[in-house]
Amino acid sequence: MRNVKLGRRSLLSLMGVAATGAAVGACGRSEPGRATAEAPLRRPMPRTPAATGPVLSVDAERSHYRDGDVQLMFAFPTGLERTENLPIVLYLHGRDGMSPTPIPYETLSKLETEYADGVLPPFGLLAVDGGFNSYWNDGSANGDLMSMLLEEVPAWLRSRRLGDRDGLPFAVAGISTGGFGALNYAAERTEVGLPVEAAALLAPALPVTWEHMQEKGVFATEQDWIANDPLRHTEQLGDVPVGVWVGDADVYLEGAERLAQEYRNTPVLSVLPGNHDATVFDVVGADMLRFLGTGVPAEG
């Protein structure tokens, strides 16, 4: 699908290199952000503006693929008996990065209340800093972001005893440009035989013309975009269930509708009144989380 500089697909054979990955993650960690099994989630963040919100914690890791420290934000429902081996959704942020929040406040609030009401099974969210205007591709201005997600994130989760035994998130979600990246992440996981259980896309930034994509200043040439455009590679998703939530006045509506038309396993296409903004971002949290929750692996 795209250029791979360092043999990512062979490195992503996590079943065979788990020990190596853990060692690399430990050596590469910067001490100020170091977490331990006993205290995996230090430096709590303030509560969300909602009346109730989940536990939010931030940490940092050293990324080879971004050539620097990378911020991580975790969100967990309160009241969990333990977080060890807790299923994790990898949540890819949009254009503006981690500030003011990589995950809409309403989604964070619903993670708390839907779990408390017994609607959601226990799982957490992880947002990783991909920088400004990130489409989560390798060779970007922010580094080799897809390689970071595929190779480094599992080691970071394993060191915190989160995710499955190999540190893999069970699902992926993304907002705006993060939706573009989430589709490609799901395709990459399928390609190496480790598919995600679900992919949830909130107003995914899926331009359908080169002229529109060129305005974003991300890909140097049309061919670069074509090589990375998830709409052109839906067959590589395998059979991963994809849910899409988008506004009826969103500039990316055509791309979302094309995805649903061309990809056979899109059980949710929810078109709501609104634009590419909070009118949609802040009303779909419960639906998205319930969709993701259906993919939580059974215990045992």
Side-chain angles (χ1 to χ4, degrees), residues 68-85:
D69 290 341
V70 171
Q71 185 184 42
L72 314 178
M73 189 188 91
F74 298 88
F76 300 94
T78 59
L80 293 176
E81 293 183 4
R82 61 186 178 88
T83 60
E84 185 174 354
N85 300 129

Side-chain angles (χ1 to χ4, degrees), residues 7-241:
R8 179 169 68 240
R9 291 184 178 87
S10 61
L11 291 173
L12 188 57
S13 301
L14 295 172
M15 302 301 180
V17 298
T20 301
V24 171
C27 292
R29 187 193 310 279
S30 57
E31 285 301 316
R34 189 173 189 276
T36 67
E38 293 75 24
L41 299 168
R42 57 194 191 85
R43 301 204 304 272
M45 294 177 68
R47 285 283 186 177
T48 67
T52 58
V55 176
L56 299 181
S57 297
V58 293
D59 212 332
E61 288 283 357
R62 184 76 177 179
S63 170
H64 165 78
Y65 291 110
R66 289 210 63 196
D67 192 26
D69 290 341
V70 171
Q71 185 184 42
L72 314 178
M73 189 188 91
F74 298 88
F76 300 94
T78 59
L80 293 176
E81 293 183 4
R82 61 186 178 88
T83 60
E84 185 174 354
N85 300 129
L86 185 72
I88 295 294
V89 174
L90 177 63
Y91 196 107
L92 304 185
H93 64 67
R95 179 176 183 269
D96 292 333
M98 299 288 279
S99 180
T101 173
I103 304 170
Y105 287 125
E106 196 262 354
T107 300
L108 294 172
S109 176
K110 293 300 183 183
L111 179 66
E112 176 75 358
T113 58
E114 295 284 294
Y115 172 74
D117 291 343
V119 177
L120 291 180
F123 65 88
L125 307 176
L126 166 62
V128 181
D129 187 1
F132 177 74
N133 198 24
S134 170
Y135 281 70
W136 300 95
N137 56 296
D138 278 355
S140 78
N142 300 320
D144 290 338
L145 298 180
M146 188 57 66
S147 290
M148 176 183 71
L149 297 178
L150 292 168
E151 294 182 34
E152 295 180 320
V153 166
W156 299 341
L157 287 173
R158 275 200 310 273
S159 72
R160 292 163 173 80
R161 300 183 183 179
L162 294 169
D164 71 8
R165 65 180 182 179
D166 296 304
L168 286 173
F170 79 91
V172 64
I175 179 172
S176 189
T177 63
F180 184 107
L183 279 174
N184 282 334
Y185 175 85
E188 294 280 3
R189 287 276 302 266
T190 296
E191 196 170 350
V192 296
L194 298 169
V196 295
E197 298 294 332
L201 315 178
L202 174 50
L206 298 171
V208 297
T209 67
W210 170 236
E211 289 73 22
H212 189 189
M213 186 73 252
Q214 195 173 21
E215 294 172 1
K216 309 306 173 184
V218 177
F219 299 106
T221 69
E222 185 174 4
Q223 289 305 310
D224 288 341
W225 168 56
I226 290 172
N228 286 275
D229 179 15
L231 289 178
R232 299 170 190 267
H233 306 286
T234 55
E235 75 284 353
Q236 295 180 352
L237 288 166
D239 198 38
V240 171

